[in-house]
Amino acid sequence: MLSDINSPQDLKKLNVSQLNTLAEEIREFLIENLSVTGGHLAPNLGVVELTLALHYIFESPKDKLIWDVGHQAYVHKMLTGRMDRFHTLRQYKGLCGYPKCSESEHDVWETGHSSTSLSAAMGMAIARDLKRERSKVVAIIGDGALTGGMAFEAMNHMGHEKRDVTVILNDNEMSIAPNVGALHNYLGKLRTNDGYKRVKEEVESVLKKVPAVGGTMAKLAERLKDGLKYLMVSGILFEELGFTYLGPVDGHDLPTLMEALRQAAYTKGPVLVHVITKKGKGYTPAEADSDVFHGVGTYKIESGEVLKTEGPPSYTSVFAQTLEKLAETDPRIVAITAAMPGGTGLNRFASKYPERFFDVGIAEQHATTMAAGIATQGLKPVFAVYSTFLQRGYDQLVHDVSRQNLNVLFAIDRAGLVGADGETHQGVFDIAYMRSLPNMTIMMPKDENELQHMMYTALQHNDGPIAVRYPRGSGEGVDLDTEYKQLPIGKAEILRSGSHVAILAFGNMVPTAQKAADALAAEGITPMVVNARFAKPLDEELLFTLARDGYTVITLEEGAVQGGFGSAVLECYAQAGYHDMVVELMGIPDYYVEHGSVKEQRAEVGLTPENLAQKVRSLWPARRQRA
């Protein structure tokens, strides 16, 4: 049956029994295909029936289906003509793992971060009404994403404007890790209170039979209904925000689900449909461990065993082990994450030091300012966060942390190119967006051993905010020192002496520089190789020495060229009056790098040993003279 579905219109030819059969086929397809490509398995298994119902009731692309985060849109992609490309999912030049407007007219909003769908939906509803068009706008948001402050800003505006917007709350009690917080507890009450809707309907039915006695009776009726709300469930948050609340609805019961969506489609004003789903539905390993199968690599279908290659420890694990060890002797260390205890490696810290660990949910703005508040009291907050998600706390980084010069350590994971997650998750902008901030210190290690020493250095630092950034994936396989040492702030490390050309490599680009230098040595070309260590402050003493000695300088970084480490070097020379130097910048060009392997992405942007070696050759004095 699945092979006959090429568009949402094909669904409408099926009855409910056939749709249920199709749902099972979709699950089998996902389990089989993602075992080869990897991807977000558990979230998509949980929304199979919901996606079928949405496309059955609504008329995409005329009606706008807006997926929050977007990692749960695989079924949507399958139903909108992209099933034949699924073997390319998250592969270089293949199908994107998130909604992508250039892929299909049915993808109306691109996203990879959470909590954006409601604001986008409100914007589309306003545009629809101004253009006097007739269409539905539907946002699908998870209970985890609903903890993001932006979602509440949008809901507040929706309730005020009263425009026709449908919000589907996909409640699976999970984001990536189990959800936390008061909203999570509130939704739990709604899930378990089956009597609310029934009693509410009965009271409304009685009220309709009472003859109207002017405004007094109308006010009394409204007060009675409001009293009922507070009696049955504490808060009734959504109705108080101006939404018609429908649910909870079983998200795997197609007839009930479709009836709720039909009701929502014909209800005026903002509507919230509360749908209960199970993450990983239909695949026992994913149901049992939806955290692992949220975003998973290749695995064995029969057992669910995730296939891992042997190799050096990951940067994430080295960070986590170092922090845990340092916390043994320093009770002031406090660890913070925004719904990513597993992804940031803090699970063990949370188990060992539960009173010093805080998961704030998907709320990076709150996490950043909370860390600032902790720092004012003399403790040592460490906010472990992916580079792409720290962007969400930028105002707080500027206003609350940097401006007050507070001792907050930002452990920035997934810095640089991130591979299959692609353009929405690339960690290539943080150098530029942090470097302009007064008081900020930014460093990046050349390998996992240096990461240990940088963490130790950062926690000894008492002169304002400091960021230690490190890449995704495995380290270089170097030995780990058993004793930590403090690195001098703002001092680089010369790894190879050389002449004429100096390669200043930042962080994970140091191995690339070393490989290029190895290849060039066979040709008699001997550039200096420098481990920059710091993007701010720079080692000005070394930079000025290179200028005086007549070196050509190449900067190398896995970050945006605009405003990045190389730009900092150029600014330093310009301010010091060195205007006759040759400085070449190598980094990420001025565009969003799409999904693929990190190796493929580096090749695309020219950050390979071969590209660097060719750059050095072109700048080498003898070669330049011949040219």
Side-chain angles (χ1 to χ4, degrees):
M1 189 178 295
L2 186 56
S3 60
D4 294 330
I5 304 300
N6 297 304
S7 75
Q9 293 305 315
D10 294 330
L11 287 181
K12 302 178 190 299
K13 303 171 187 176
L14 306 179
N15 58 39
V16 172
S17 176
Q18 290 172 314
L19 287 175
N20 279 316
T21 301
L22 181 61
E24 294 309 309
E25 289 187 23
I26 289 172
R27 286 195 168 89
E28 291 173 7
F29 180 92
L30 287 172
I31 293 166
E32 181 176 340
N33 278 263
L34 268 61
S35 72
V36 177
T37 64
H40 292 95
L41 179 62
N44 286 283
L45 292 176
V47 298
V48 174
E49 288 84 3
L50 175 57
T51 310
L52 287 170
L54 285 166
H55 278 293
Y56 197 89
I57 299 301
F58 296 99
E59 299 289 340
S60 177
K62 176 187 175 184
D63 294 334
K64 312 304 179 188
L65 301 182
I66 305 165
W67 299 90
D68 204 281
V69 183
H71 59 237
Q72 79 284 46
Y74 292 6
V75 184
H76 163 78
K77 291 188 179 224
M78 292 169 63
L79 300 177
T80 52
R82 285 167 277 181
M83 197 159 50
D84 60 340
R85 297 182 60 203
F86 237 79
H87 65 284
T88 71
L89 181 71
R90 292 160 54 90
Q91 310 298 306
Y92 190 62
K93 301 299 183 183
L95 204 61
C96 182
Y98 298 90
K100 185 78 173 170
C101 295
S102 60
E103 282 184 6
S104 171
E105 63 180 347
H106 296 279
D107 291 4
V108 298
W109 178 251
E110 294 188 4
T111 180
H113 288 187
S114 79
S115 314
T116 67
S117 62
L118 304 190
S119 296
M122 186 60 180
M124 292 182 193
I126 289 171
R128 173 201 63 199
D129 294 346
L130 289 173
K131 293 163 69 176
R132 291 177 170 77
E133 294 177 347
R134 296 177 63 84
S135 63
K136 303 296 182 182
V137 177
V138 184
I140 305 98
I141 185 169
D143 51 324
L146 202 63
T147 64
M150 187 175 172
F152 281 93
E153 294 174 20
M155 290 178 71
N156 181 61
H157 189 213
M158 286 176 174
H160 171 74
E161 286 275 343
K162 303 296 184 186
R163 295 180 188 272
D164 293 346
V165 180
T166 298
V167 174
I168 309 297
L169 173 55
N170 174 31
D171 182 0
N172 57 27
E173 305 184 58
M174 296 283 287
S175 45
I176 295 175
N179 288 327
V180 297
L183 179 64
H184 169 64
N185 296 332
Y186 169 77
L187 291 175
K189 292 180 181 179
L190 288 179
R191 292 184 208 108
T192 56
N193 199 315
D194 296 330
Y196 166 62
K197 183 182 176 184
R198 183 181 66 253
V199 176
K200 175 183 174 182
E201 290 172 347
E202 291 175 358
V203 170
E204 288 179 341
S205 176
V206 170
L207 289 172
K208 288 176 181 177
K209 297 174 182 176
V210 177
V213 188
T216 302
M217 181 57 72
K219 290 178 182 178
L220 178 61
E222 286 303 311
R223 288 177 63 184
L224 181 57
K225 288 164 63 179
D226 284 344
L228 171 69
K229 288 191 294 187
Y230 292 111
L231 176 66
M232 296 301 296
V233 182
S234 58
I236 307 301
L237 174 65
F238 303 115
E239 292 204 1
E240 289 301 306
L241 282 170
F243 284 75
T244 298
Y245 173 82
L246 303 177
V249 179
D250 183 346
H252 303 296
D253 182 340
L254 272 168
T256 304
L257 190 54
M258 287 192 289
E259 179 54 36
L261 294 181
R262 285 192 189 95
Q263 189 175 350
Y266 290 106
T267 300
K268 290 294 184 182
V271 182
L272 186 138
V273 184
H274 185 182
V275 179
I276 311 298
T277 62
K278 185 171 182 60
K279 203 170 182 181
K281 173 76 172 176
Y283 184 50
T284 302
E287 289 187 18
D289 197 342
S290 57
D291 191 354
V292 167
F293 282 89
H294 172 83
V296 68
T298 56
Y299 56 91
K300 294 181 180 178
I301 296 176
E302 298 78 12
S303 63
E305 177 188 353
V306 178
L307 302 176
K308 296 181 179 179
T309 56
E310 294 297 324
S314 68
Y315 280 95
T316 300
S317 65
V318 172
F319 152 74
Q321 291 164 13
T322 305
L323 186 65
E324 185 181 336
K325 186 175 180 181
L326 291 170
E328 289 178 2
T329 56
D330 192 342
R332 296 173 298 170
I333 292 175
V334 174
I336 302 166
T337 183
M340 298 290 288
T344 58
L346 288 177
N347 278 336
R348 280 185 49 180
F349 188 102
S351 298
K352 191 169 184 179
Y353 307 108
E355 74 285 356
R356 289 193 272 158
F357 170 77
F358 299 92
D359 182 352
V360 301
I362 301 177
E364 291 85 0
Q365 292 173 295
H366 166 58
T368 304
T369 298
M370 186 181 83
I374 291 170
T376 65
Q377 303 306 303
L379 299 185
K380 295 182 176 181
V382 180
F383 181 19
V385 59
Y386 290 6
S387 170
T388 187
F389 297 141
L390 182 57
Q391 295 164 189
R392 297 160 60 89
Y394 184 66
D395 178 57
Q396 291 68 35
L397 189 64
V398 176
H399 183 271
D400 300 332
V401 179
S402 178
R403 188 182 58 81
Q404 298 190 86
N405 199 31
L406 295 171
N407 297 325
V408 178
L409 168 53
F410 294 92
I412 303 178
D413 202 332
R414 271 61 167 180
L417 296 167
V418 298
D421 280 337
E423 57 192 309
T424 58
H425 284 62
Q426 304 288 19
V428 300
F429 304 111
D430 59 273
I431 302 171
Y433 70 66
M434 289 190 298
R435 193 176 65 76
S436 61
L437 301 182
N439 304 320
M440 181 64 71
T441 297
I442 308 167
M443 53 183 169
M444 187 176 191
K446 68 179 184 293
D447 55 41
E448 62 269 38
N449 186 48
E450 193 166 58
L451 174 57
Q452 293 186 117
H453 302 310
M454 285 192 172
M455 284 297 300
Y456 177 74
T457 300
L459 286 166
Q460 299 301 311
H461 183 70
N462 291 305
D463 191 23
I466 191 164
V468 179
R469 60 193 309 272
Y470 44 95
R472 183 177 192 169
S474 299
E476 298 300 317
V478 301
D479 293 334
L480 299 178
D481 295 336
T482 56
E483 297 293 328
Y484 303 138
K485 62 182 179 183
Q486 192 165 349
L487 304 176
I489 298 293
K491 286 297 177 182
E493 175 189 28
I494 297 176
L495 299 175
R496 293 191 187 203
S497 297
S499 59
H500 304 305
V501 176
I503 303 169
L504 306 185
F506 187 53
N508 61 334
M509 285 285 96
V510 170
T512 298
Q514 293 275 43
K515 290 174 184 176
D518 287 341
L520 290 166
E523 306 170 27
I525 298 176
T526 55
M528 179 188 290
V529 177
V530 177
N531 169 23
R533 282 183 173 163
F534 292 86
K536 186 178 183 179
L538 296 172
D539 190 340
E540 294 186 351
E541 181 181 0
L542 173 62
L543 291 178
F544 298 157
T545 297
L546 294 174
R548 289 192 295 268
D549 291 348
Y551 277 82
T552 290
V553 172
I554 301 173
T555 66
L556 187 66
E557 62 190 302
E558 199 173 80
V561 169
Q562 283 75 15
F565 166 66
S567 293
V569 171
L570 278 175
E571 291 164 15
C572 178
Y573 281 134
Q575 290 167 4
Y578 292 101
H579 302 303
D580 57 351
M581 290 186 63
V582 175
V583 180
E584 295 272 346
L585 311 187
M586 294 183 70
I588 308 297
D590 190 24
Y591 68 88
Y592 292 99
V593 180
E594 294 190 354
H595 52 282
S597 70
V598 171
K599 183 178 180 180
E600 290 166 329
Q601 290 168 339
R602 285 183 175 178
E604 178 182 316
V605 300
L607 292 179
T608 66
E610 295 75 20
N611 293 119
L612 176 58
Q614 185 55 42
K615 177 71 70 175
V616 174
R617 290 187 193 101
S618 71
L619 297 171
W620 198 252
R623 296 294 184 100
R624 294 178 71 188
Q625 289 169 10
R626 285 199 298 269

